[in-house]
Amino acid sequence: MINHVWGLLTHPNREWQEISSENETVSHLYGHHVLLLAAVPVVCSFIGTTLVGWHFGTSETGLAERVQVAPSTAVLLAIIFYALILAAVWLMGNVVHWLARRYPSRPSLNRCVVFAGYMATPMFLSGIVALYPIVWLCLLAGIVGLCYTAYLLFAGLPSFLGIDRGEGLRASSAALAIGILVLEALLALTVLLWSYGAALV
C-alpha cells in the first residue's frame, strides 16, 4: 500500500501501469488502501475538533474564537464521516465505469472502483491538516489535494481505458466534473455534521 502511495505522488504514470497489471480486487483495495487512508481525514478531524477546536480568528476582545466538539459526539460523527468517504470512493468507481461503457476496453466495475480508490489518494492525505483545523488552511489543503487528484485522473484514465490523450481528456473532464459534485456534497454533509456536533456541546 505504501509503495503505491509514494509512487502515485512521485511517478504517477509508471505507478498507474503497475496498478493496472496487478488486477487487484475491491476487497483487497479497501483492506490495504482505502480503509487506511480514508481514516486519515477522519482521525485528524476527530483530534482537531475535540482537542484543538475549529479556529475562526479572534474576537473583538482579542481572544481566539474556537469551537470544539465533545468526544462522545465526535465518535458518532467520525463514523458517519468515514462511511461517507468510503461510499464516495465506491460512487466514483461507478462513475468511471459508467463513462467507460462507450470505449472498447470496457473495464469491469471492480477495476473502476480500484482506479477510483487510488485516484483519491491525494484527497485522503490532504486531511492531515485537520489536526489543526483552521478554515483557510483546510481549504488550501483541499484545493491542493483536488488538483493533484485531477492530475492523477488525467494521467491515468487514458491508459486505463485504452484511449488516446484527446479522448482521455474528454473522459477525464467528465469524471472530474462529476467528482467535484460528489466532493461538494461530501463537504456539505461534513460541515453539517461537525457543526451539528459543535451545537450539541
Side-chain angles (χ1 to χ4, degrees):
M1 185 270 293
I2 297 300
N3 291 338
H4 285 319
V5 171
W6 181 248
L8 286 169
L9 295 178
T10 57
H11 43 80
N13 290 319
R14 190 165 78 231
E15 202 64 28
W16 276 131
Q17 292 175 357
E18 186 176 330
I19 290 168
S20 295
S21 67
E22 290 176 350
N23 292 319
E24 188 175 10
T25 63
V26 172
S27 59
H28 186 270
L29 168 78
Y30 269 73
H32 292 83
H33 187 84
V34 176
L35 290 175
L36 297 173
L37 288 184
V40 170
V42 174
V43 172
C44 291
S45 295
F46 178 85
I47 294 169
T49 55
T50 55
L51 299 180
V52 180
W54 280 100
H55 180 68
F56 293 103
T58 55
S59 64
E60 294 177 1
T61 59
L63 297 174
E65 291 185 344
R66 295 186 185 277
V67 177
Q68 290 178 276
V69 178
S72 57
T73 304
V75 168
L76 176 60
L77 297 177
I79 292 169
I80 297 171
F81 184 33
Y82 191 51
L84 287 172
I85 293 173
L86 299 181
V89 171
W90 176 259
L91 178 59
M92 282 309 301
N94 279 268
V95 167
V96 173
H97 186 250
W98 178 74
L99 289 171
R101 76 194 190 287
R102 58 181 291 212
Y103 301 112
S105 63
R106 289 192 181 134
S108 66
L109 178 60
N110 179 80
R111 291 195 65 220
C112 292
V113 173
V114 168
F115 179 84
Y118 284 114
M119 181 184 68
T121 298
M123 292 301 299
F124 295 145
L125 296 177
S126 68
I128 292 173
V129 299
L131 282 169
Y132 192 73
I134 300 174
V135 175
W136 68 265
L137 182 61
C138 291
L139 183 61
L140 178 62
I143 291 171
V144 171
L146 178 61
C147 288
Y148 202 84
T149 296
Y151 173 70
L152 288 181
L153 174 64
F154 284 103
L157 197 61
S159 61
F160 177 70
L161 296 179
I163 54 180
D164 61 48
R165 286 285 171 187
E167 192 65 29
L169 182 62
R170 288 190 287 275
S172 299
S173 298
L176 182 62
I178 297 170
I180 289 173
L181 291 175
V182 171
L183 178 63
E184 287 176 352
L186 182 62
L187 289 175
L189 288 170
T190 301
V191 169
L192 286 173
L193 282 172
W194 292 105
S195 61
Y196 175 72
L200 292 178
V201 177

